Amino acid sequence: MMGGKERVSVIIPNWNGLKWLPVCLDSLRNQTYADFVTYVVDNGSVDGSAEFITTQYPEVRLIRNAKNLGFAGGMNVGILASKGEYVVSLNNDTEADHLWLAELVEHMDQRPGIGFAACALLDFNDRGRIDALADGYSIDGRSYKVGSGQIFRDKDTPPFEILSACAAGCLYRRSMLDKIGLYDEDFFAYMEDVDLGLRAQLAGYRCVCVPSAIVYHMGSASSGGPASAFSIRQTSRNLYRVIFINVPALLIPVFVASALVSQSGLVLLSLVVPRYRWFRVNLPAYFQGIAQALRDIPQSLAKRRKIAKLRKMGAVEFARMIASSYRLARRHSKRRG
């Protein structure tokens, strides 16, 4: 499990994830690819996670943070402590197929022009269904999972280009991260992978999905689920941050207007449609996120200026990329079982 050169660094942020760690870490012990080191970055857990890793998984390099730095902060600590040519992001609520790393590394070795790669994230409890093949990004600022809920028939499909990779299980070239920067820690959690993916695309790096590299994902386990107040507050805040930091200037008014229309519709639905009650009860958290995003506009624009010199894509190319991501999502949404 621990190669001498540490060609691959697998980084797992953890916050009170003791109940998921055995499945995740055992699956890494079973990998056919051996030249990697696993780092668990513990974000101040109080459930005994760190002690469990120390006693049961001595091969894992444990990094203990005094407080919860969020997914983005935890990943960055691990990236800076590791040495691998390839950096892998992996959620603690996952189980990796034994060929997972071998498939990812083989493909990246064959295509040096690819900057980062997604694996096939499948539903942990319904293993024939897709959790996500890629992260998409829409004109209203929302990110979405490509293929979510559909039957998985892509295992033998050659790798194909996508917009971005879900950080629950993906691989980055360290040389790319050295160029574009690490995760934005101000995101804390949610959409930090989309932000990094857009930054990479704007800088000229391409991303692929490798369907033969499979990870089974429980999904939103550590954050209380996608309908929790925490998730809604983070998502509503980070949605606008991504727009102000990454979207080409000519398209910002379009994306902001579309986001406002879309989000207003969701608020109205939550007030009149019973099945949207989960959103209605979390409206205070939603508006807190919006308020924070507005306060952060100066900071977001400062970040935008900082990364502008790396941009190799204008508004037209960006719009085409978003349209291509949408077409990919449409193709996979038709694959029902």
Side-chain angles (χ1 to χ4, degrees):
M1 182 177 185
M2 192 176 293
K5 295 182 180 180
E6 188 184 339
R7 186 145 190 258
V8 179
S9 303
V10 178
I11 300 169
I12 306 170
N14 178 71
W15 180 66
N16 293 329
L18 176 60
K19 60 184 176 181
W20 304 298
L21 286 173
V23 171
C24 180
L25 297 178
D26 283 347
S27 73
L28 293 178
R29 279 180 170 173
N30 292 330
Q31 293 297 301
T32 59
Y33 183 86
D35 195 3
F36 73 97
V37 172
T38 300
Y39 294 79
V40 173
V41 182
D42 189 73
N43 276 329
S45 295
V46 294
D47 65 347
S49 290
E51 294 76 13
F52 174 77
I53 292 168
T54 300
T55 57
Q56 300 299 317
Y57 297 89
E59 74 275 19
V60 171
R61 297 188 183 177
L62 175 66
I63 301 173
R64 303 183 71 165
N65 294 328
K67 63 179 182 178
N68 187 0
L69 301 180
F71 183 87
M75 276 299 304
N76 285 354
V77 168
I79 293 170
L80 293 173
S82 63
K83 301 176 182 178
E85 170 189 351
Y86 295 128
V87 173
V88 170
S89 168
L90 186 65
N91 276 16
N92 58 2
D93 60 338
T94 57
E95 179 182 1
D97 178 79
H98 66 290
L99 294 173
W100 170 61
L101 268 182
E103 295 288 340
L104 281 176
V105 172
E106 180 182 5
H107 180 73
M108 294 295 282
D109 283 348
Q110 291 173 352
R111 299 184 66 182
I114 300 299
F116 56 130
C119 62
L121 287 169
L122 304 184
D123 190 297
F124 185 87
N125 296 308
D126 186 356
R127 299 195 167 204
R129 292 196 180 271
I130 298 169
D131 177 54
L133 298 178
D135 276 344
Y137 187 64
S138 61
I139 196 171
D140 61 2
R142 291 181 298 166
S143 62
Y144 55 88
K145 295 180 177 182
V146 173
S148 180
Q150 306 307 311
I151 296 294
F152 180 59
R153 299 190 180 99
D154 296 295
K155 183 175 181 180
D156 298 322
T157 302
F160 51 89
E161 288 201 28
I162 59 174
L163 175 71
S164 187
C166 178
C170 67
L171 181 149
Y172 302 106
R173 288 190 193 276
R174 186 178 294 272
S175 58
M176 183 190 80
L177 297 177
D178 289 343
K179 185 74 175 291
I180 69 170
L182 307 183
Y183 286 98
D184 186 334
E185 296 185 18
D186 290 328
F187 278 70
F188 192 79
Y190 289 95
M191 296 188 74
E192 69 287 311
D193 49 359
V194 175
D195 169 71
L196 192 152
L198 290 177
R199 266 191 285 136
Q201 290 279 2
L202 288 165
Y205 292 97
R206 294 155 63 198
C207 183
V208 296
C209 172
V210 183
S212 56
I214 296 172
V215 167
Y216 302 100
H217 184 215
M218 298 177 199
S220 300
S222 295
S223 61
S228 69
F230 172 80
S231 300
I232 290 172
R233 181 170 53 251
Q234 290 295 116
T235 302
S236 64
R237 181 190 69 171
N238 291 343
L239 180 151
Y240 289 98
R241 281 184 167 180
V242 171
I243 292 174
F244 288 120
I245 293 172
N246 296 288
V247 174
L250 288 175
L251 296 176
I252 287 179
V254 177
F255 275 71
V256 170
S258 298
L260 290 172
V261 170
S262 174
Q263 297 298 303
S264 297
L266 183 57
V267 170
L268 290 174
L269 280 174
S270 74
L271 297 175
V272 298
V273 179
R275 68 189 179 97
Y276 285 94
R277 182 180 180 276
W278 61 271
F279 192 79
R280 182 170 71 247
V281 299
N282 287 310
L283 280 177
Y286 169 77
F287 287 113
Q288 287 169 8
I290 297 295
Q292 183 64 59
L294 293 175
R295 289 194 295 269
D296 288 346
I297 286 177
Q299 180 191 59
S300 297
L301 294 179
K303 291 179 180 182
R304 178 187 185 84
R305 290 189 293 271
K306 186 175 180 180
I307 66 175
K309 59 184 177 182
L310 298 174
R311 292 174 182 265
K312 297 181 180 180
M313 182 184 297
V316 174
E317 293 85 358
F318 188 88
R320 287 174 178 165
M321 180 177 68
I322 299 304
S324 177
S325 173
Y326 176 74
R327 288 193 294 270
L328 175 67
R330 289 279 294 175
R331 285 200 300 272
H332 282 279
S333 70
K334 297 176 182 178
R335 299 182 179 186
R336 301 186 181 276

